[in-house]
Amino acid sequence: MTITDTLTQLGTKVETPTSPETAVLETVPYTRVEGPPAIVRFTCPEFTSLCPVTGQPDFAHIVIDYAPDKMLVESKSLKLFMVSFRNHGAFHEDCTVMIGRRVVEATKPLWLRIAGYWYPRGGIPIDVFWQTGTPPEGSWLPETGVAPYRGRG
């Protein structure tokens, strides 16, 4: 049984963090089994942040795939972290990479990749990709499931 005594957000009412920097990503222990590592996917099709120049909202479909080693990111804390970007002004590239780096910092996975498919503003969609290295040998890596821009949606 997984011990969850240290979790502070799961099962309680928690205010939305005011910024990604103050958001807490919590983890739970994970025991890997023999064979190729499992790949865990989180999909956030309604991600929002703010343009740092205009203050206008930016929208993205974020896909995070990672191969956990000893820790899993707790999903409620990840949701709160993702929501904390709603009032955060940063460029698409910075938001996408910041999310990936924070999950890596919290879980220390064997591998992680993140894809940020940003909806167009000014007629140009921006897709941002980042990963920590070579995918684990023998693991099944699905496509991110988001088609190249053609009126995405």
Side-chain angles (χ1 to χ4, degrees), residues 41-150:
R41 171 170 286 176
F42 288 104
T43 304
C44 184
E46 298 175 345
F47 181 85
T48 59
S49 66
L50 298 177
C51 172
V53 176
T54 66
Q56 294 295 308
D58 286 321
F59 301 87
H61 186 140
I62 305 287
V63 180
I64 303 166
D65 292 320
Y66 77 108
D69 187 16
K70 295 182 171 80
M71 303 302 280
L72 297 170
V73 67
E74 191 281 312
S75 63
K76 181 176 180 181
S77 73
L78 180 66
K79 291 172 197 171
L80 289 165
F81 172 61
M82 299 296 270
V83 168
S84 74
F85 280 86
R86 287 192 177 157
N87 294 314
H88 179 72
F91 291 114
H92 303 334
E93 298 84 352
D94 294 332
C95 288
T96 305
V97 174
M98 177 192 279
I99 294 165
R101 288 185 188 275
R102 284 288 301 278
V103 173
V104 167
E105 179 184 318
T107 65
K108 298 177 180 38
L110 300 171
W111 172 82
L112 177 138
R113 77 174 172 191
I114 183 168
Y117 297 92
W118 293 83
Y119 291 83
R121 284 184 67 233
I124 299 174
I126 298 174
D127 296 338
V128 181
F129 307 97
W130 183 80
Q131 71 180 31
T132 59
T134 305
E137 188 174 329
S139 290
W140 179 63
L141 299 175
E143 294 298 319
T144 59
V146 181
Y149 184 73
R150 290 170 66 189

